[in-house]
């Protein structure tokens, strides 16, 4: 299925995924700490109860809660202290009615006890008598066996991106290695006769390559490994040669640059020449970003982004990011944090077109306002000044000042 | 100044910073791509105008805008095409009234021209006559010299954390290397006789070390380099030995574990024995996290976090994160994204105490609600299930259902 009219991003991605077929998630095993921010490639179940025993959460005395019922300052409960629990060890005796054992935070409750009285609410006499002036409820100041993680329960699902607390939980259940997705390698190619690498002196009419840096950094930000191929001239043979090398050494190719008709036509011709199905989508109903090309060659996605640096970054988020996520097995809704804000001025939009407005967020009277940063999509400074992108959905003809919109933060 | 009462986080950090004196930011130079997420250690000014010339944003014809004023379908403007501008080159001639030159997106406008008419709105005859059926305004479809970045202007300030668009802008002004802050090395030590590394089999009464993993990952998340020292027994000599090594090889030491009075006393004794000023703050008016120890030894911060995994993570964010930021020269308000949400149930809090509630966010009728994930601070699963922390400020006695609160997302 080829779509040559400007289509919605969803239609375009669906068409591309259809021609790519199943996108497999490659896996590898890594130790816990390097797994931060990686995507789980297995459902992790616990083979144990955490904690493996009833555990005190305070310093005090392990008791049977019912021995303390009704205790108060005038009628304290009097218990017999029968020992002290050593940290990291199983108590040697079990508790009988009328007895208590000294326990530290994290200590294992003796059999028979079901609560801990905090040290502050007790007094111990030399003869071993403990005076308790407040009752405790069963379970008070105790983490019961399996209360944190139950044996057999799902701790974290496949596709989850690992945060610090997740690594802690996995350490808690004794995992030392995890199956995670292998980051896809994404080739990044800039094209255009007027584009020069940042190290070179530029002549009038030339500008420096910016897209390689924003796009490679976006690849990295979203979990891929960027492989930059630098700047390629608008030349069929030269671009073909670099594309063949890029396709052989990566999981996806992202081109940008040359937003003129000539360069776009060249990109299309090169993609078509490299194999079936070639170009699948040409043109998106998105502003900025209309002149986008989606193709598939050798089972790998090839994305021709518009040349303007803002358009290239926006379309990367809409098109390349979901493809990286698919290769990582990450849910499509993962990503930038979305906040609700009120738009600070009227913005017009065409029907049937998705618009993305760069906005700066401001708080006014406890409410979040999104101030559009207007300016041509060739101005990278508008991305630098803004905090996120506000979306105007295709069915809307614009938004009015004060209207609520959704902003995805960078 | 030593504070041994439970104090607010702000007071405690101020006291610690006072005893540490000036915290220097160490710098290094790195190339652009590895600078993603690093903190700029220089104010970056542009030594050039970007673009360095007036540039077309469309495919079309460069014109003098006034030649098109009043043009329409019935009375088109007729101009003489005097050439085509090649990409990446300076036009050889300048434009005179009544003339136009063919130009591609990104092309350099010839002297004399101040606007570009889009190809779609023109017709060119064989004899070189261009028919224009719509007027253009001066500046239309043009990015003027310096419109993106002005020569001499501040592109990015010291202390800024570099995002993809920032790298693109820096590439645009020709930077190949950047001065960034050297990530501080943070030693992470777990203590406690009952704590075992995840690789070992555990006996009744023992639990596995979780804090090393959450805390080391938090160090990494916020821009530091974690150096884990594993689990140390509750033994004065052993802890001293590891602490001396950690202080010699890192910029900050973070201890956790042993939340019992005994372990806390040991941590205090060890910090005091290593040098002046030793312990500066003991106890914070925060829940969870009261039993926190802040100290300074050899000019380095030493933070004794509570042992419960949730408390340790929360206090890390409140105390260790700002110290890492200070070492990176990053503004203190950088960090987790904060959203406003309505709390889904009543939560009580003590006056004078800051409370942090783990919450899960839900959208109900277009509004964000924060559902408290209740559970003891020993349960790491409550961190895994939640999306962020809601803060109840010290002056409040709690929050009522439906009240707006601030949630910092993980």
């Amino acid at each position: 299925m080829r779509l040559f009219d400007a289509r919605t991003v969803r239609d375009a991605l669906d068409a591309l995924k259809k021609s790519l077929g199943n996108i497999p998630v490659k896996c590898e095993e890594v130790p816990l700490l390097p797994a931060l921010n990686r995507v789980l490639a297995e459902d992790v179940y616990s083979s144990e109860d955490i904690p493996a025993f009833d555990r005190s959460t305070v310093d005090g005395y392990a008791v049977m809660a019912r021995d303390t019922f009704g205790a108060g300052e005038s009628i304290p409960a009097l218990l017999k202290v029968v020992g002290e629990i050593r940290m990291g060890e199983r108590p040697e005796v079990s508790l009988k009615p009328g007895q208590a054992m000294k326990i530290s935070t994290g200590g294992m409750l003796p059999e028979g006890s079901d609560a801990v009285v905090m040290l502050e609410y007790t007094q111990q006499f030399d003869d071993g008598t403990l005076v308790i002036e407040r009752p405790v409820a069963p379970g008070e100041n105790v983490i019961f066996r399996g209360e944190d993680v139950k044996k057999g329960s799902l701790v974290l699902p496949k596709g989850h991106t690992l945060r610090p607390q997740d690594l802690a939980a996995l350490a808690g259940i004794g995992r030392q290695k995890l199956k995670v997705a292998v980051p896809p390698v994404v080739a990044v190619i800039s094209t255009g006769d007027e584009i020069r690498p940042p190290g070179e002196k530029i002549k009038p009419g030339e500008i420096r390559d910016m897209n390689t840096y924003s796009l490679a950094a976006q690849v990295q930000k979203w979990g891929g490994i960027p492989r930059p191929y630098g700047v390629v001239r608008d030349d069929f043979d030269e671009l073909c040669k670099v594309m063949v090398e890029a396709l052989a050494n990566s999981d996806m190719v992202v081109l940008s640059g040359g937003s003129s008709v000539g360069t776009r036509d060249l990109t299309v011709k090169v993609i078509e020449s490299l194999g079936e199905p070639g170009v699948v989508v040409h043109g998106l109903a998105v502003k900025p970003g209309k002149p986008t090309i989606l193709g598939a060659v050798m089972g790998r996605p090839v994305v021709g982004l518009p040349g303007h640096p803002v358009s290239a970054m926006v379309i990367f988020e809409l098109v390349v990011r979901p493809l990286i996520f698919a290769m990582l097995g990450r849910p499509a809704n993962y990503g930038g944090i979305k906040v609700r804000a009120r738009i600070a001025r009227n913005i017009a939009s065409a029907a049937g077109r998705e618009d993305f407005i760069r906005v700066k967020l401001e708080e006014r009277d406890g409410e979040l306002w999104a101030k559009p940063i207007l300016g041509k999509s060739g101005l990278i400074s508008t991305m630098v000044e803004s905090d996120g992108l506000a979306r105007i959905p295709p069915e809307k003809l614009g938004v009015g000042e004060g209207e609520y919109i959704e902003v995805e933060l960078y």
Side-chain angles (χ1 to χ4, degrees), chain A:
Chain A
M1 170 168 62
R2 298 198 181 186
L3 305 167
F4 280 93
D5 289 332
R7 288 295 180 101
T8 65
V9 173
R10 180 183 293 250
D11 287 350
L13 272 176
D14 284 350
L16 179 61
K17 283 185 178 165
K18 202 174 252 177
S19 20
L20 288 169
N22 181 37
I23 298 176
V25 176
K26 296 182 216 162
C27 307
E28 61 181 333
E29 265 206 335
V30 296
L32 284 186
L33 274 183
L36 181 66
N37 296 329
R38 300 289 297 269
V39 182
L40 259 185
E42 57 170 330
D43 288 324
V44 177
Y45 292 89
S46 180
S47 57
E48 312 178 357
D49 279 327
I50 306 297
F53 53 90
D54 298 344
R55 210 174 169 232
S56 176
T57 62
V58 295
D59 293 319
Y61 289 88
V63 298
M64 291 179 172
R66 64 171 180 272
D67 281 347
T68 71
F69 291 170
E73 275 180 44
S74 48
I75 316 168
L78 300 177
L79 301 180
K80 180 88 192 151
V81 178
V82 293
E84 179 170 350
I85 294 151
R86 292 170 60 100
M87 287 304 287
E89 294 185 12
R90 177 204 286 276
E92 281 154 23
V93 295
S94 47
L95 214 64
K96 293 188 181 61
Q99 295 184 338
M101 280 182 90
K102 203 168 182 205
I103 193 165
S104 294
T105 308
M108 177 172 179
L109 265 69
E111 234 175 278
S113 73
D114 58 0
V116 177
V117 184
M118 285 177 81
L119 208 58
E120 293 89 307
Y121 304 131
T122 64
Q123 252 185 294
Q124 196 190 334
F125 292 115
D126 287 344
D127 67 346
T129 304
L130 184 72
V131 180
I132 298 175
E133 293 175 342
R134 279 195 188 196
V136 281
E140 204 168 321
N141 301 321
V142 177
I143 293 176
F144 286 112
R145 175 180 183 141
E147 190 177 335
D148 201 356
V149 181
K150 277 245 166 328
K151 183 174 171 173
S153 68
L154 180 68
V155 181
L156 288 165
K158 193 192 282 197
H160 180 77
T161 301
L162 294 160
R163 304 163 298 170
Q165 58 264 52
D166 302 325
L167 299 182
L170 293 165
I173 63 168
R175 291 295 298 260
Q176 292 182 271
K177 289 196 166 194
L178 301 169
K179 238 193 206 168
V180 295
V182 174
V185 174
V186 181
V188 176
I189 303 173
S190 278
T191 66
D193 286 342
E194 79 282 20
I195 315 284
R196 311 303 312 158
E200 290 185 19
K201 236 188 135 66
I202 49 171
K203 297 193 303 255
E206 296 180 336
I207 58 155
R208 295 201 186 81
D209 178 22
M210 297 198 244
N211 289 345
T212 288
Y213 299 90
S214 44
L215 301 175
Q218 282 175 293
V219 169
Q220 198 176 320
K221 175 177 175 184
W222 294 120
I225 295 174
R227 183 164 294 168
Y229 280 85
V231 184
V232 180
R233 293 184 63 79
D234 283 334
D235 176 277
F236 183 85
D237 293 334
E238 219 171 301
L239 189 53
C240 266
K241 205 182 118 198
V242 175
M243 282 283 288
V244 167
E245 201 193 317
L247 281 163
N249 294 298
S250 62
D251 301 296
M252 182 177 356
V253 178
V254 173
L255 295 137
S256 83
S259 42
S260 67
V261 170
T263 315
R264 282 208 304 280
D265 290 349
L266 179 69
T267 307
V268 167
K269 257 196 259 171
V270 170
I271 297 175
E272 289 286 339
S273 78
L274 291 171
E276 285 295 314
V279 172
V280 178
V281 176
H282 192 168
L284 289 181
V286 175
K287 185 184 173 189
K290 187 171 173 242
T292 298
I293 300 159
L294 304 190
V297 178
M298 296 165 55
R300 289 175 173 72
V302 177
V303 181
L305 298 173
H308 290 314
V310 176
S311 320
M313 287 193 74
V314 169
I315 300 298
F316 183 105
E317 296 294 307
L318 298 178
V319 170
V320 182
R321 188 173 96 179
L323 291 168
I324 292 177
F325 284 8
M327 292 176 181
L328 287 168
R330 198 179 236 167
N333 65 1
Y334 181 86
I337 287 161
K338 287 179 182 135
V339 297
R340 236 167 122 251
R342 303 180 68 177
I343 192 92
R345 53 169 283 179
N346 298 334
I347 299 279
S349 167
R353 190 180 73 193
E354 260 182 300
D355 278 32
F356 291 87
I357 316 288
R358 288 142 276 171
V359 297
K360 199 168 174 60
L361 294 178
E362 289 175 349
E363 208 171 298
R364 294 188 205 157
D365 305 324
E367 273 216 293
L368 214 50
W369 284 77
K371 206 180 110 198
I373 303 289
L374 300 172
K376 304 179 178 93
S377 62
L379 304 178
I380 189 70
S381 53
T382 60
M383 289 295 284
V384 172
E385 278 164 43
S386 58
D387 299 314
L389 291 172
R391 176 175 179 267
I392 305 179
E395 65 276 13
K396 294 205 71 166
L397 287 168
V399 285
E401 185 181 330
E403 206 172 311
Y404 284 97
I405 44 149
E406 194 177 65
V407 177
E408 182 168 321
L409 304 177
Y410 301 139

